[in-house]
Amino acid sequence: MLQKRIDDQPSISRSMMREAEEILHRHLKRVGLKQTAQRDTILRTFLETREHLSTDELHRLVKKKDARIGITTVYRTLKLLAECGLASEVAFHDGIARYEHQYNRRSHHHMVCTECGSSVEFFSPEVERLEQEIGRKHHYLTTRHTFQVYGVCEDCRKKNGSRRVV
Amino acid sequence: MLQKRIDDQPSISRSMMREAEEILHRHLKRVGLKQTAQRDTILRTFLETREHLSTDELHRLVKKKDARIGITTVYRTLKLLAECGLASEVAFHDGIARYEHQYNRRSHHHMVCTECGSSVEFFSPEVERLEQEIGRKHHYLTTRHTFQVYGVCEDCRKKNGSRRVV
DNA sequence: ATTGCTGCAAACGATTTGCATGAGG
DNA sequence: CCTCATGCAAATCGTTTGCAGCAAT
């Protein structure tokens, strides 16, 4: 509910789209599942948008292409995309799961405004290094990490002198 | 469901307990709320345990002291504790809100095993510095951050050669 | 006395599941 | 054909809320 819509221009080229589809299809074959029109539509829609879609937001976009696709299928397909590394979940601490592209995407992090829900991404190689270092130290085989910074963006500070912070 | 129980020895001294109670009482007075036996019991129980309690886990412990306290009150009280800075929410990406002590606690981070749910804490001043730096760069007034590393712990790697990773 | 607190049960929103029907291999 | 996928509705899970009676100020 907090989340404000930023944009949804295509963020991926035609050739990357093709490649991503192949990754999905290979994954489906490997685990004995079937390639379907719905799954392809959902993948394409997902790839055409920018970051941090909730399942519900993605479903709304998907319905524009095929109104008969249900949200259940979107949930299930996002899980598939996460399994084959094309998507990954990112939690903004507001009780809603969001997904972002993972394919050909360098690891990055998020800063989220607790007033309006807008977010910016940033990159920090130091954080990657820390993941490795901490894992080694405690004998974990690390697979991933999350780093989120919360605060209030410039716009919101101008609008409200101060307000409740999540 | 994932989360494995690690320990729940007292993690706070008597005098810190007293101080924490005063912080809560002052906060209640300030915002015009009342001091009640339930709130005190919940605070004490919370402080007596170690990190990362879910509301449900805390409720179970609270009931040992006073079986008539309902989970609703635990939810509401944890929110109060968060408001006055004694507790803070920490999300382990499994859909369950957990809380940890915040009082007299230096900022720290978590590494979570995606197999058994156990977690270790670590400290990293670099991460604090990064929060500031990123905030400044994008004109956010930062309030907090989360940094979690996910992986598989040594024990789980010994037990299962490999298994599905969350 | 007044106002806030409590615990229960019902409501809620996000996500999952059971199932009958439909489509892919 | 057989198996898996789909969409719907119902179920589930964590969390929140309405409310009647109770307790703190």
Side-chain angles (χ1 to χ4, degrees), chain A residues 1-4 94-96 98 116:
Chain A
M1 14 25 212
L2 246 195
Q3 182 77 351
K4 134 175 123 185
D94 59 358
I96 299 175
R98 289 167 214 289
C116 69

Side-chain angles (χ1 to χ4, degrees), chain A residues 75-97:
Chain A
Y75 271 106
R76 292 191 270 230
T77 304
L78 276 174
K79 204 153 279 181
L80 278 175
L81 297 186
E83 269 173 35
C84 63
L86 289 169
S88 71
E89 207 180 298
V90 49
F92 280 180
H93 273 111
D94 59 358
I96 299 175

Side-chain angles (χ1 to χ4, degrees), chain B residues 33-34 36 38-39 68-69 73 76:
Chain B
L33 301 181
K34 287 169 182 168
T36 68
Q38 287 93 325
R39 285 175 177 164
R68 329 191 33 185
I69 296 180
T73 304
R76 293 191 269 228

Side-chain angles (χ1 to χ4, degrees), chain A residues 100-116:
Chain A
E100 61 181 12
H101 308 181
Q102 206 48 43
Y103 176 57
N104 254 10
R105 197 86 175 57
R106 110 174 122 117
S107 164
H108 62 283
H109 311 101
H110 305 280
M111 182 154 55
V112 183
C113 175
T114 50
E115 296 278 333
C116 69

Side-chain angles (χ1 to χ4, degrees), chain B residues 62-141:
Chain B
V62 162
K63 276 194 296 188
K64 288 187 195 164
K65 301 195 174 174
D66 181 348
R68 329 191 33 185
I69 296 180
I71 196 164
T72 314
T73 304
V74 178
Y75 271 106
R76 293 191 269 228
T77 303
L78 276 173
K79 204 153 278 180
L80 277 175
L81 297 186
E83 269 174 36
C84 63
L86 289 169
S88 71
E89 206 180 298
V90 49
F92 279 0
H93 273 108
D94 59 359
I96 299 175
R98 288 166 215 289
Y99 286 86
E100 61 179 11
H101 307 184
Q102 208 47 44
Y103 175 58
N104 254 10
R105 197 87 176 59
R106 104 177 128 116
S107 163
H108 62 281
H109 311 99
H110 305 280
M111 181 154 56
V112 182
C113 176
T114 50
E115 297 278 333
C116 69
S118 66
S119 61
V120 307
E121 292 188 347
F122 60 90
F123 303 86
S124 170
E126 297 178 66
V127 177
E128 317 299 318
R129 212 203 61 235
L130 272 168
E131 175 187 317
Q132 300 307 317
E133 184 183 316
I134 302 296
R136 207 175 315 116
K137 189 162 163 189
H138 296 277
H139 311 286
Y140 271 57
L141 181 63

